[in-house]
Each structure stands twice: as C-alpha cells, then as structure tokens.
C-alpha cells in the first residue's frame, strides 16, 4: 500500500509545504550571531555553492532580540534575513522562544522548572522554563508577536519554526504552578467528578482516595511506588501542556501570516519519548523531525529507518521534513563516534527514501565556544578542505539530481502499531520483569522486516489499517477497546497480524483486563494465559523448533489457536510459545516469549510469505525502498555494506545518470536512486 493514500483523514502535512522551494529543501541551523560579518559573506557564498536553499535562523535568538525587558533589537536579524533574500536562500524562521535570556529569571524566578524531588533547575544551560507558567507563555507570545510583525512580509520568510524541540529538557515540571495546572487538566478530563478520578487511578489501593481536588499532586518523589495511573495522567498532561504552548505560538503566527506554514521540530529518536506525538502530528503544517544516530550502534542505520518510518506515520504518509541530523559526530553521547566516509550521504538519502522532502542539519558552521563546540557541522573547524565538506557538496548534487521525488509517497505493505502512552506505562515501576521494555520487540520485529527488505510504517493505535497486508503489534501493553476492535476487524477482513507478549494487558487507565491474558487480544489470538513466568536475568531457554528465547514465558492454553512451537525446557516445558489462529483468509499470530533474532526472522519470513509480501530478494545489508507518485516511481538502494551489490531495477540512476537495465550495481557504501521505467502509480 502507499502510505496515507487509503486514509480518509485529511493529510497532516505536505499540503502546506513552503511554496518557495521547488525541489527538495536542503539546509541547516544557521547561527550567524556567533560569527563576524565577514564570515557571513563566506557562508552565503558556500551555501550557494552547495545548493542550500532553506536555513533555520533565530532558533535561540531571544537574548539578542530582547536584551532587556521590553526593549527589542531586530536589526541584526533583519540584516541576516536581507542577506539570505539577496542570495536566494529562504528562512525557516525561529520564533526564538526556546530559551529566555538571563535577565528573565531574575525578573520571573517562578518560571524555572522543578524536578520530582523539588529541585529547581537553573539557567545557564538552555530551555529552563516551566511549560505551565502563564508568565512564560505571556512573555514568549510577546516575542512571537514582535518577530511576526517585523518579518511577516520579508521575502526570505518561507516557514515558521516554533521554539525548539519542545520537551527536550523540560518535558515535565513538578512545581506548584504545574500542580495547579495539572489539577485543572484533571478536573476537565474527569468532568469535575473526583470519584471518576478515584476510579481511574484505582485509589482504593493504599489509602489514596481523594475527596478534595486540592489534595491531588503531580507524581512527586515518594517513599514507595507512585500510583501508575497518576503517573500516566501526568505524562499525558505534560505532553498536552507543551502542545498547548505550540498551538498558542502557531495561532498567533497564522493570524499574522496565514500563508506561511508553521512547524516545530519533533524528536522521534531512539532515546526520547517525552511527548505523545500522535496528538502533535495533526497540529503541524509540516511534520518535522530531528534525528541523531546512536553512534556506537553498528546497526544505527536500522534505527534511523525505524524513526523515519515512525515520522512518516505521524505525517499520515505525507512528505515530512528532516529538520536536524548531524554531518558526523555529536557531542552529547558517551562516545561520539564519527560518521564513516559516505555515512552522511547514506543517512540523508535513507531519510529521503522514507519520505523526507527536506534534509537539514544542526548546524551550518561548527561553533568555537559554548556547549556544542565539539559538535560536527557542515563546515567543520578544519574548514572546507575536509571529508565532511566534500560529502556536503556531493549531497547537494544528489538532492538536485533527485528532486523529482518531491511529493511522492512511500510504498509499505506492513504496518506496526507503537504507542507513546503504552511505552510510558511500561516505564513505570512494578511490572513483572524489568527486562520487558517499550521498544524492545518493536525494534526486533522491525529489524527482521528491514533485513528481509520489507518497508514498514509505524502507526499510532487508531490509525487506519486498510490496505496493509500485515500488522505487527509488539508489546502493546495498554490497549483501548476501540483499538482491539479495529485489529479484530482488520484480521476479520483478511488481514494478518503478529502480536507479541505483554500486549493487551491493561486498558488506557492501566487497569488490568480480567479473564486471562493477553486481555484485549485473547479471543482474536485464540489463547488463554493464566500466569506470567518471567525468566531470571541471563536465563536462556530452548524451543522445539531450534530457536532460543529469554526474558519471558507464559502459562498459555490454546483456545482455537494451534501451537507453532513450544518450550523444550525452562519453567514450562511443552507449553506453546508461538501460536497461530486462522481467521478466514487472515491469521492472528502470538509470540509469548522473547525469541532470539534468528527465531524472530524465521517467524517473520513465514508470516510474510503467508501474507503474500515479497521479501528476502535483496542482498544483506542493502536498504531498498520505493517512492511513487502520479506517473513516477523511484527505487532507492542504500548499500550499507563495503562491497558492490546488484539489485533488480529498470530505469535511470538519477545519482550517476547511468541507465540500468534489469539491475543496478551500487558500489560499497553508495546509494542509487533509480527512476523506474515501469509506471507503478496506477
Ligand atoms: C538538538 C537541538 C540542537 C542541537 C542539537 C545537537 O537536540 O535542537 O539545538 O543542540 O541537538 O545535536
């Protein structure tokens, strides 16, 4: 299926792409305030040389724009904007509200955020503000107003960049102002009925029953385990508060410049899950993402693909904006491994393969001072006679050569349901095993699909499943009745589904579903689990099909399903570990243990075959993704191996200009983008 095309929802993005950029956008965060004006001239010359057409400016501009309370200085930013316009480079103009200036905290000390332990966080880093502070909101909107008024009609303005990575450093604040806002949010959520809150939070346990809203607090540090539903609601509240902040800035901008798209940079990346982006996607004119590799991971490109496929899900299949990634090493990981030759290009084009119509970086020129002075950039400290700059030049040529892919959609036969709220609930204390974590099975199944050469779209529960040939449901602990019903309907209409353990266990208040696990999916899967049997740390067990497993087993009975494999040893010898239930033309598979990588790959291969999905035809380590549009089809081949590879393709490789008949050869570490002869758009 082509992502997003069967959905009856209005596309979240793409329809409001900046009209000034005819091809793919290419750029970086540009921070000229760190450099003398001479450098600016060189910057613009180099931007033109490589084809940079859109840069993010003023992302951390507040201290320059408002050096003293209510005194605004916009001259320098105006000069930068004029200079961009003169050189044909557009601005992704920051509202500048990410980090207030130092005077702000002297004047408004109660805007500083507080940790769960009651520690105030201080200025001196960045983004030290309480998301619920009315003072912060008022002052930030004041700045947005000034910036919007001043630059509304500026010829360089192409889009608005609200704040920066909202929630990156201040996702949750536990101060008294936040507590008050949390209570207001709860009163509205529970319709002023405190007993509805008591029921949802299960406060009959441990003497937690509330009789007065004033007693309700954020989940601050406590002597014992904090109520899990209270934690869950606080995370929902915290995500909603920051979304509310985004909306407030966006609405002000829309009023002044209705034709200019507004976005903010999300952080769909391995280690961050602070906000429920499923609610954010529809609010952005363009879904934009920042992605940084976990550089020590030798398979980081698979994690990159997972995140890109998740962003595309948030954008409901429409093209999205890669707002930041790095040309090489970052400065904030334990070991900041540099990118190998060609990796910059492979990373950038893999994002494009998976639906990005814009490739941007942090940042244009490497800083000499400040917290990020050891972070890579397009222009490194060593200047332009460098590997990085040569790769930037190459990328500029590539993006021009493949610009026709703009606006096309990614083909993906498989969907995977992943939910931020379920991840949150799994992170809270007191589960049966600490080894069951939010994305573990999602990554395992995704990896198996990636290696089989199958493109997967990551969707939030509630998304339309029509048209997908297979849906993967990895450890979806919290499930609403509506999601469970949608999955059943999907299988009932001929779909194939794979569910892994510890799914369907709780409802959206984290209340356990009764009658046997896996609760919401029990009937669909045709199994009945009476007890979990988590394994000891490091314990590995064998299955009768030769695979091994660890972490988790279940005392499972078949109720309509058949056993695909069973435990040979461990606590439950002879008990089914993997099951399958036929449902009309479809099937529902259940994986009750943590299969090893080989077992997962074997199982997925079997399911893909049954679901009629072509797989396993590409060489190992090669990423092959197709983007299609009206009368157009593009095959991206990203070779992550050191050897040359051959992949079936007919057409012209836009990168090299060579015609490929039947196959394309892509050199070790290289990328090919074949404009295919076959018209697959129909
Ligand atoms: C992002 C942020 C940038 C820069 C970058 C460094 O999180 O938006 O401002 O800090 O990381 O990797």
């Amino acid at each position: 299926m082509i992502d997003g095309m069967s959905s009856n929802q209005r596309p979240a993005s793409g329809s409001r792409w900046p009209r000034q950029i005819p091809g793919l956008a290419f750029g970086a965060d540009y921070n000229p305030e760190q450099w003398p004006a001479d450098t600016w001239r060189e910057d613009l010359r180099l931007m033109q040389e490589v084809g940079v057409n859109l840069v993010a400016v003023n992302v951390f501009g507040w201290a320059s724009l408002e050096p003293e309370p209510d005194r605004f200085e916009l001259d320098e930013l105006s000069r930068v904007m004029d200079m961009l316009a003169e050189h044909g480079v557009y601005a992704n103009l920051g509202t500048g509200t990410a980090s207030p200036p130092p005077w702000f905290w002297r004047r408004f000390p109660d805007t500083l955020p507080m940790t769960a332990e009651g520690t105030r966080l201080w200025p001196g880093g960045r983004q030290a503000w309480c998301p619920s502070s009315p003072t912060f909101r008022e002052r930030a909107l004041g700045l947005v107003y000034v910036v919007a008024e001043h630059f509304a009609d500026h010829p360089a303005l192409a889009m608005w960049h609200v704040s920066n990575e909202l929630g990156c450093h201040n996702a949750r604040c536990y101060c008294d102002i936040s507590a008050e806002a949390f209570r207001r949010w709860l009163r509205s959520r529970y319709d002023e009925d405190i007993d509805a809150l008591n029921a949802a939070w299960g406060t009959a346990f441990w003497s937690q029953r509330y009789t007065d809203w004033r007693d309700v607090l954020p989940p601050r540090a406590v002597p014992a385990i904090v109520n899990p539903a209270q934690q869950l609601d606080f995370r929902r509240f915290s995500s909603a508060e920051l979304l509310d902040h985004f909306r407030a800035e966006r609405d002000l901008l829309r009023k002044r410049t209705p034709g200019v798209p507004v976005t903010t940079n999300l952080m769909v990346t391995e280690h961050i899950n602070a906000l429920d982006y499923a609610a954010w996607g529809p609010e952005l004119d363009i879904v934009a993402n920042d992605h940084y590799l976990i550089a020590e991971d030798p398979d980081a490109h698979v994690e990159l693909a997972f995140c890109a496929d998740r962003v595309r899900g948030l954008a409901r299949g429409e093209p999205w904006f890669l707002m930041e990634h790095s040309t090489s090493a970052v400065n904030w990981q334990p070991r900041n491994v540099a990118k190998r030759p060609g990796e910059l290009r492979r990373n950038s084009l893999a994002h494009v393969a998976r639906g990005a119509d814009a490739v941007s970086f942090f940042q244009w020129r490497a800083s000499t001072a400040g917290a990020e002075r050891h972070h890579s950039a397009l222009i490194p400290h060593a200047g332009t006679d460098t590997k990085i700059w040569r790769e930037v030049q190459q990328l500029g040529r590539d993006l021009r050569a493949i610009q026709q892919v703009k606006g096309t959609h990614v083909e993906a036969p498989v969907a995977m349901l992943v939910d931020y709220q379920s991840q949150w609930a799994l992170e809270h204390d007191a589960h049966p095993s600490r080894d069951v974590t939010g994305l573990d099975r999602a990554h395992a199944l995704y990896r198996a699909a990636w290696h089989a050469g199958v493109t997967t779209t990551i969707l939030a529960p509630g998304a339309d499943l029509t048209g997908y040939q297979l849906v993967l449901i990895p450890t979806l602990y919290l499930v609403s009745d509506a999601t469970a019903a949608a999955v059943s309907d999907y299988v009932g209409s001929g779909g194939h589904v794979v569910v892994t353990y510890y799914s369907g266990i709780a409802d959206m208040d984290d209340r356990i579903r009764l009658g046997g696990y896996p609760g919401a999916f029990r009937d669909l899967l045709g199994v009945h689990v009476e007890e979990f049997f988590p394994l000891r740390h490091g314990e590995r067990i064998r299955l009768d099909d030769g695979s091994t497993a660890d972490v988790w087993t279940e005392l499972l009975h078949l109720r309509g399903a058949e056993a695909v494999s069973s435990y040979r040893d461990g606590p439950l010898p002879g008990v089914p570990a993997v099951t399958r239930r036929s449902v009309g033309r479809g099937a529902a598979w259940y994986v009750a243990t943590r299969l090893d990588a080989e077992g997962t790959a074997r199982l997925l291969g079997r399911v893909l075959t049954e679901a009629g999905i072509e797989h396993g035809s590409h060489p190992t380590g090669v990423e092959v993704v197709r983007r299609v549009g009206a009368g157009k089809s593009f095959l991206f081949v990203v070779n992550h191996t050191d050897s040359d590879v051959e992949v079936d393709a007919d057409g012209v490789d836009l990168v090299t200009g060579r015609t490929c008949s039947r196959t394309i050869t892509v050199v070790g570490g290289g990328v090919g983008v074949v404009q295919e002869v076959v018209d697959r758009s129909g």
Side-chain angles (χ1 to χ4, degrees):
M1 123 174 230
I2 300 169
D3 279 345
M5 300 305 277
S6 85
S7 163
N8 50 15
Q9 292 159 310
R10 197 186 140 269
S13 66
S15 46
R16 289 180 52 76
W17 206 259
R19 57 186 164 70
Q20 296 89 339
I21 312 290
L24 301 171
F26 177 34
D29 275 27
Y30 181 39
N31 299 310
E33 61 278 8
Q34 299 177 15
W35 300 94
D38 275 2
T39 313
W40 299 7
R41 279 188 286 281
E42 190 194 38
D43 287 339
L44 267 296
R45 180 179 64 73
L46 291 171
M47 282 181 199
Q48 285 184 319
E49 180 193 314
V50 293
V52 161
N53 52 19
L54 184 67
V55 291
V57 287
N58 194 42
V59 176
F60 288 96
W62 198 337
S64 313
L65 298 184
E66 194 181 2
E68 287 170 21
D70 302 312
R71 184 170 69 75
F72 294 95
E73 280 184 11
L74 296 157
D75 289 358
E76 185 175 279
L77 184 56
S78 298
R79 278 206 303 284
V80 171
M81 290 288 281
D82 294 348
M83 187 182 64
L84 292 176
E86 280 156 27
H87 290 80
V89 177
Y90 289 92
N92 169 20
L93 183 53
T95 56
T97 56
S99 249
W103 59 255
F104 192 86
W105 292 287
R106 183 173 16 94
R107 180 111 179 231
F108 309 114
D110 68 354
T111 60
L112 288 170
M114 185 178 276
T115 65
E117 291 75 22
T119 306
R120 280 275 180 206
L121 297 177
W122 292 94
R126 68 177 182 187
Q127 279 154 294
W129 49 273
C130 161
S132 300
S133 159
T135 311
F136 178 83
R137 174 76 59 90
E138 190 194 316
R139 301 296 306 203
L141 291 184
L143 181 69
V144 177
Y145 180 83
V146 168
V147 173
E149 276 302 311
H150 196 85
F151 293 106
D153 302 314
H154 198 283
L157 175 65
M159 61 193 277
W160 290 110
H161 180 307
V162 166
S163 190
N164 189 60
E165 291 188 338
L166 285 159
C168 185
H169 307 285
N170 60 345
R172 274 163 284 168
C173 172
Y174 297 78
C175 74
D176 287 342
I177 293 171
S178 298
E180 198 47 55
F182 183 40
R183 285 190 280 269
R184 274 198 303 277
W185 183 87
L186 290 167
R187 291 176 88 125
S188 146
R189 179 173 174 83
Y190 295 105
D191 226 359
E192 294 294 334
D193 179 357
I194 202 160
D195 281 331
L197 176 140
N198 281 313
W201 288 12
T203 58
F205 195 72
W206 278 0
S207 178
Q208 291 176 352
R209 180 166 170 242
Y210 294 96
T211 50
D212 189 322
W213 291 100
R214 282 175 302 183
D215 301 329
V216 181
L217 291 170
R220 291 179 174 153
V222 293
I225 301 164
V226 188
N227 182 309
Q230 179 186 1
Q231 295 189 64
L232 193 55
D233 266 351
F234 189 64
R235 295 190 77 153
R236 290 179 175 130
F237 154 79
S238 301
S239 179
E241 284 294 89
L242 282 165
L243 181 54
D244 202 57
H245 181 87
F246 168 77
R247 281 202 208 98
E249 290 202 24
R250 179 201 63 192
D251 292 351
L252 217 162
L253 296 165
R254 277 190 181 162
K255 212 158 146 199
R256 184 64 185 85
T257 54
V260 180
V262 186
T263 192
T264 188
N265 40 354
L266 308 182
M267 295 164 288
V268 178
T269 189
E270 157 103 5
H271 52 289
I272 295 182
N273 68 3
L275 308 176
D276 182 2
Y277 287 145
W280 287 63
E283 302 283 348
L284 310 178
D285 290 333
I286 298 169
V287 171
N289 194 50
D290 294 354
H291 181 269
Y292 289 95
L293 292 186
I294 304 303
E296 279 194 78
D297 175 1
D299 272 348
H301 52 275
V302 182
E303 192 272 335
L304 178 157
F306 178 89
C307 293
D309 287 348
R310 195 170 187 184
V311 179
R312 188 175 66 254
L314 295 170
R316 290 185 238 164
E318 288 301 310
W320 51 276
F321 199 116
L322 177 63
M323 192 77 92
E324 288 181 28
H325 67 320
S326 65
T327 56
S328 190
V330 298
N331 67 313
W332 44 263
Q333 294 181 11
R335 275 162 296 274
N336 295 299
V337 175
K339 291 196 179 177
R340 301 289 182 267
E343 198 173 354
L344 180 167
R345 182 168 179 243
R346 287 196 298 283
N347 290 168
S348 295
L349 295 179
H351 281 294
V352 177
R354 293 176 186 277
D357 272 2
V359 174
S360 198
F361 294 85
F362 179 86
Q363 62 176 332
W364 170 251
R365 196 179 268 280
S367 305
T368 56
E372 294 181 327
R373 68 204 181 289
H374 290 299
H375 196 289
S376 62
L378 277 78
I379 304 176
H381 293 142
T384 51
D385 185 11
T386 47
K387 151 192 156 276
I388 290 183
W389 182 252
R390 281 186 283 279
E391 291 200 20
V392 168
Q393 290 175 316
Q394 174 65 47
L395 181 63
R397 287 195 290 275
D398 292 338
L399 293 175
R400 260 196 310 281
I402 67 168
Q403 57 178 307
Q404 303 162 63
V405 305
K406 186 185 179 203
T408 55
H409 296 88
V410 174
E411 268 188 355
V414 177
M416 179 185 281
L417 296 186
V418 179
D419 182 26
Y420 283 99
Q421 298 192 23
S422 182
Q423 275 179 257
W424 296 342
L426 272 169
E427 279 171 17
H428 298 152
D429 325 272
H431 285 284
S433 170
R434 68 187 303 174
D435 299 328
V436 178
T437 55
L439 289 181
D440 173 67
R441 291 300 82 193
H443 281 147
L445 283 169
Y446 183 89
R447 201 170 288 270
W450 190 98
H451 284 291
V454 174
T455 308
T456 302
T457 296
I458 320 282
L459 298 172
D464 187 0
L465 302 177
T466 318
Y468 291 103
Q469 287 162 267
L470 170 65
V471 175
L472 305 172
I473 305 186
T475 311
L476 191 63
Y477 167 72
L478 289 185
V479 176
S480 69
D481 292 348
T483 297
V487 173
S488 286
D489 290 350
Y490 165 76
V491 177
S493 61
H496 295 251
V497 76
V498 177
V499 178
T500 72
Y501 59 89
Y502 214 45
S503 291
I505 303 303
D507 68 13
M508 297 310 283
D509 292 326
D510 201 352
R511 294 179 77 91
I512 305 302
R513 291 172 177 276
L514 297 178
Y517 315 121
F521 296 123
R522 193 175 54 227
D523 296 341
L524 171 68
L525 297 169
V527 298
H528 180 273
V529 173
E530 59 172 285
E531 192 176 352
F532 300 136
F533 276 71
L535 300 180
R536 295 192 166 81
H537 180 63
E539 185 177 357
R540 183 159 284 282
I541 55 169
R542 287 177 307 149
L543 272 63
D544 59 9
D545 67 353
S547 19
T548 64
D550 59 3
V551 171
W552 191 263
T553 61
E554 301 181 340
L555 182 50
L556 177 151
H557 306 283
L558 300 174
R559 294 279 187 276
E562 56 189 292
V564 174
S565 59
S566 303
Y567 304 110
R568 178 163 283 170
D569 52 23
L572 300 168
V575 169
V578 178
T579 66
R580 179 188 178 282
R581 177 174 166 245
S582 288
V583 186
R585 285 177 299 112
W589 299 71
Y590 184 52
V591 189
T593 188
R594 187 173 181 274
L595 285 182
D596 59 21
E598 228 175 87
T600 304
R602 225 179 10 249
L603 175 71
L604 189 78
R606 190 171 155 189
V607 178
L608 290 168
T609 304
E610 264 196 32
I613 299 169
E614 194 191 318
H615 61 100
S617 50
H618 311 310
T620 315
V622 179
E623 190 170 357
V624 180
V625 183
R626 179 172 280 122
R627 287 184 66 164
V628 300
K632 305 188 214 174
S633 180
F634 302 93
L635 194 72
F636 286 73
V637 184
V638 186
N639 182 358
H640 297 281
T641 75
D642 293 333
S643 326
D644 299 0
V645 293
E646 262 195 14
V647 168
D648 292 350
D650 244 321
V652 177
D653 180 3
L654 299 175
V655 171
T656 58
R658 280 193 212 114
T659 302
C660 346
S661 54
R662 299 245 276 275
T663 58
I664 177 176
T665 303
V666 179
V667 297
V671 183
V673 181
V674 181
Q675 173 152 30
E676 295 181 295
V677 173
V678 187
D679 179 3
R680 297 172 157 272
S681 63

